[in-house]
Amino acid sequence: MRLSQFTEEIKSVSGFKAYRMDNTANDMRGAAGLGTCECCDYVTVSKDGQSVVLIEETDLGRTIVDFKQRHD
């Protein structure tokens, strides 16, 4: 497994690439043996290499509406 195989441009941030974690076509979770755990959408390392950056792309408004409909 090569980390580079998971590199994708983040749709909401033009020109910015990170490693895709939860894509069914190219599943880093599965390749890492993590099973079906919950995880963020992308992970990358800061430019100075000192921090791991976790990126979640979620339509928060839609998520809240869906949650309320299911659990109201």
Side-chain angles (χ1 to χ4, degrees), residues 3-45:
L3 191 57
S4 61
Q5 79 187 59
F6 302 106
T7 303
E8 274 187 26
E9 184 171 322
I10 298 176
K11 295 174 185 122
S12 62
V13 186
S14 181
F16 186 84
K17 292 185 179 184
Y19 305 108
R20 180 75 173 182
M21 295 283 294
D22 65 349
N23 182 345
T24 56
N26 191 17
D27 188 12
M28 183 188 284
R29 286 181 304 190
L34 298 175
T36 58
C37 66
E38 295 289 326
C39 69
C40 61
D41 294 318
Y42 297 93
V43 64
T44 192
V45 178

